[in-house]
Each structure stands twice: as C-alpha cells, then as structure tokens.
Amino acid sequence: MNHASKKKSEQPMQRLYINEVGVRDGFQIEKNIIRTETKIAFIDQLSKTGVAKIEAASFVHPKFVPNMADAEAVLANIERAPNVIYSAITPNVKGMERAVACHQSGAKIDEMNLFMSVSETHNMANVKRTTAQSLADFAIMVPMAKAAGIKLNGTLSTTFGCPFEGLVEEDRVLDFASQYLALGFDALTFADTTGMANPRQVERLMREAVKRFPRTKITLHFHNTRGMGLANVIAGINADVIHYDASIAGLGGCPFAPGATGNICTEDCVNMLQDLGFETGVDLERLLAAAVKIPMIVGHDVPGQVMKAGKTMQLHVVPDKLYTT
Ligand code: ZN
C-alpha cells in the first residue's frame, strides 16, 4: 500500500474564498450602458455559483461612471443568497451618504469597500485627493457605515506598484494598513490595481501583512495586466492569504493603459484552484454558464480562457482512424 498517498488524500482540502468583482470593477469601464435588469439577472445568477462575496455596486458620481448610476436599483432588486456577502464601493462622503440611505431604505449593503491608493500620485489621479485627505474622509465615512450597521473593508490600491511612481515602499503600505485598522475597518484588501505585482513580491509582503495583522481578514486583488495574475494567487496562498477577488470572464482593465487585460478571471482561477486540490465552494459549471453570457452583455470579446478551452478535464473525442495505417 502506498501509505504516503493515502495519508495525503485524508488531509482536508484548504478552503479558499472567491469574491466576484466583475459587476463593479468590470462593468464600470464598459462604454456601452448595461441595463439595470441585465445586471440584476446576472448578479442573481452569480449568487448561485458559490462565490463568497459579490461587489454589486459603486456609489460614484454618475457623471464619472455612468454604468454605476443604478446602484440603488440594483441593490433593491437582487435576490440575496444567504451565504453571499453583498458589497459596494464608494470614493467619497457623498457616496457614503447615498449608500447609507440605500441600506436604510431596505436595499441592504452587507459591506462597504473604501479605497485609497498608497501611492500619492495615483491617489491624486484616481480620486483627486492626497492620501491625508483620503484618510480624513475615511474618518468621516467609517462611523457613518458603522452607525448604519454596515461592515467595512479598506482597500489599499497600488499596493504592489504605481504606474507613475513605480514600486511603493512596503513599510508605507503596511503603515497605511495599520492606519486603516485604527480607523475601524473590519478587513483589508491589498490591490494590484494596475497589474504590476510579481509572485515573489506578493509572498514577501503578504507574509509580513499576515504576521502583523493576524486577526484581520485579508483579501488579495490582482489584475492580470502582465500575465502574472494566477501566479500571484499561488504566491498569496503560500503566505496564508485565503480570500481572492476575481472578475467573471476576466472583465476589467485600467484607465491608464487602454487595452490592458482586466482582473484575474474568476473561472480560470477556480479551475486552477480545483486542479490544485483547493476547496473554493464554487460550482465551476455554474460559473462557466454565467461567464459565457458576458461577451453578449458587454458587446466584445473577453480574456477568460477556460470559458473558451473548457475545464482541464473536459476531454475530447479521439479522432477517427487514429490507429489505422
Ligand atoms: Zn481592480
């Protein structure tokens, strides 16, 4: 008997958690307006796939992001699955006022996700604020959400590099993370906003983050801009991070790099993790059934690979006359 392999198969599979961000990080940059009913139906379909969280809306000024103008209508009409966290994002106090009003009207938001770039230049480019101004805004927004009973996730954008400044000092990133927690955030997301992270860097910084914030739920958010997205997920797992953002069909992109690939693709990521023996709680078939609808919804091709190639073990018919001479 092969004792070693028997022992291995008895080990419980490590549980990882997949957050779907395509409806927000993906749809927000689409030029064609996606109808509210389409978004609602799509979120309802995603709710049945086993993802842990769905970032469903953005409370941002409709002038800047027209595709997110219907945040309230989306949140009011989706069918909620009991084990899914429904989150929304906002860049400012005005957006938080809208989010709290939305929540109090009965269109519940489980978690608000607030963000700031750890790079000064990117924060200015993205939200027209210094990091000090963003932190001051958080100090107003966090109590608003808490008073309404909404949990808070704080995203540190450009954690692994800034398209204007290059590498960001790791101490600076971790120091901002400490400041987030001191302000009352419940959880942290380290985001590779423009796809500059590499696996070695991810593992090193995340080992440090996990050590420094052992009781904090940490999520990694990668973009596959330079093809290192899934390798970075493995690096994160090596550092004991178990929560990952991903985007259905690989939607998303970067406003500073037109044509750049989007977020890591949810179904490609789940396919890989399942092949590696991780438990994601996600039904890959259902996820793929949702992913194949995306090109129709957005009106263009998408980067997702497994939706085109099929799951790893989706075998093909042997060609005729293979063994005849
Ligand atoms: Zn992103």
Side-chain angles (χ1 to χ4, degrees):
M1 287 296 287
N2 187 335
H3 188 65
S5 69
K6 183 163 182 270
K7 213 168 186 179
K8 204 174 174 197
S9 68
E10 280 169 1
Q11 271 179 7
M13 288 188 288
Q14 192 186 356
R15 179 69 156 95
L16 302 174
Y17 298 84
I18 305 297
N19 308 325
E20 175 55 50
V21 299
V23 180
R24 200 278 307 166
D25 214 355
F27 284 178
Q28 71 177 4
I29 60 156
E30 294 297 332
K31 288 200 182 69
N32 300 332
I33 292 295
I34 298 156
R35 292 172 62 224
T36 307
E37 305 84 81
T38 307
K39 284 180 202 161
I40 292 164
F42 195 71
I43 292 170
D44 287 350
Q45 187 171 3
L46 287 171
S47 292
K48 298 182 183 104
T49 59
V51 293
K53 192 197 290 191
I54 299 174
E55 199 160 86
S58 173
F59 291 92
V60 59
H61 199 294
K63 192 177 85 188
F64 298 115
V65 189
N67 244 326
M68 293 289 119
D70 54 3
E72 286 90 348
V74 168
L75 287 161
N77 291 292
I78 52 174
E79 222 174 278
R80 282 140 204 275
N83 296 324
V84 179
I85 297 165
Y86 294 90
S87 76
I89 196 163
T90 188
N92 53 38
V93 177
K94 262 233 131 51
M96 183 61 94
E97 282 168 2
R98 265 178 71 197
V100 168
C102 174
H103 181 74
Q104 287 171 338
S105 78
K108 293 252 182 286
I109 303 165
D110 299 316
E111 182 187 87
M112 282 303 294
N113 186 13
L114 310 186
F115 59 95
M116 176 189 91
S117 301
V118 293
S119 140
E120 209 61 61
T121 316
H122 192 272
N123 203 53
M124 192 53 83
N126 203 27
V127 293
K128 307 272 175 291
R129 283 187 180 51
T130 63
T131 54
Q133 286 168 326
S134 280
L135 289 170
D137 285 350
F138 288 169
I140 300 167
M141 293 152 85
V142 169
M144 288 168 70
K146 292 233 150 166
I150 305 171
K151 290 240 183 252
L152 283 147
N153 183 80
T155 291
L156 299 116
S157 301
T158 63
T159 281
F160 302 97
C162 161
F164 310 111
E165 296 182 16
L167 275 179
V168 180
E169 285 283 330
E170 294 183 356
D171 279 344
R172 179 178 167 89
V173 177
L174 295 168
D175 182 55
F176 277 133
S178 300
Q179 292 189 57
Y180 275 38
L181 295 177
L183 283 166
F185 283 97
D186 302 292
L188 299 172
T189 296
F190 293 92
D192 185 26
T193 313
T194 61
M196 294 170 72
N198 70 66
R200 201 165 269 173
Q201 174 195 24
V202 168
E203 186 168 339
R204 184 181 60 239
L205 182 54
M206 285 307 103
R207 277 187 193 283
E208 201 52 45
V210 168
K211 193 160 61 174
R212 214 179 283 196
F213 315 113
R215 281 178 298 280
T216 302
K217 177 171 160 184
I218 292 177
T219 298
L220 278 165
H221 176 107
F222 293 123
H223 284 240
N224 194 36
T225 318
R226 293 173 178 84
M228 286 186 262
L230 294 187
N232 287 329
V233 171
I234 301 296
I237 294 169
N238 287 343
D240 291 332
V241 176
I242 58 170
H243 301 271
Y244 292 88
D245 285 352
S247 179
I248 189 98
L251 283 174
C254 167
F256 303 111
T261 320
N263 297 64
I264 58 164
C265 169
T266 314
E267 62 277 11
D268 291 1
C269 184
V270 168
N271 181 67
M272 175 187 78
L273 295 174
Q274 286 186 357
D275 284 357
L276 290 169
F278 291 104
E279 176 57 61
T280 62
V282 178
D283 183 325
L284 185 52
E285 293 289 352
R286 288 185 182 189
L287 202 55
L288 285 164
V292 295
K293 289 184 178 169
I294 288 289
M296 265 263 279
I297 293 175
V298 296
H300 57 77
D301 193 17
V302 288
Q305 290 180 282
V306 176
M307 61 187 279
K308 295 163 193 155
K311 295 187 294 184
T312 311
M313 281 304 156
Q314 184 180 312
L315 303 183
H316 297 257
V317 177
V318 177
D320 276 348
K321 299 179 189 136
L322 189 61
Y323 297 110
T324 54
T325 48

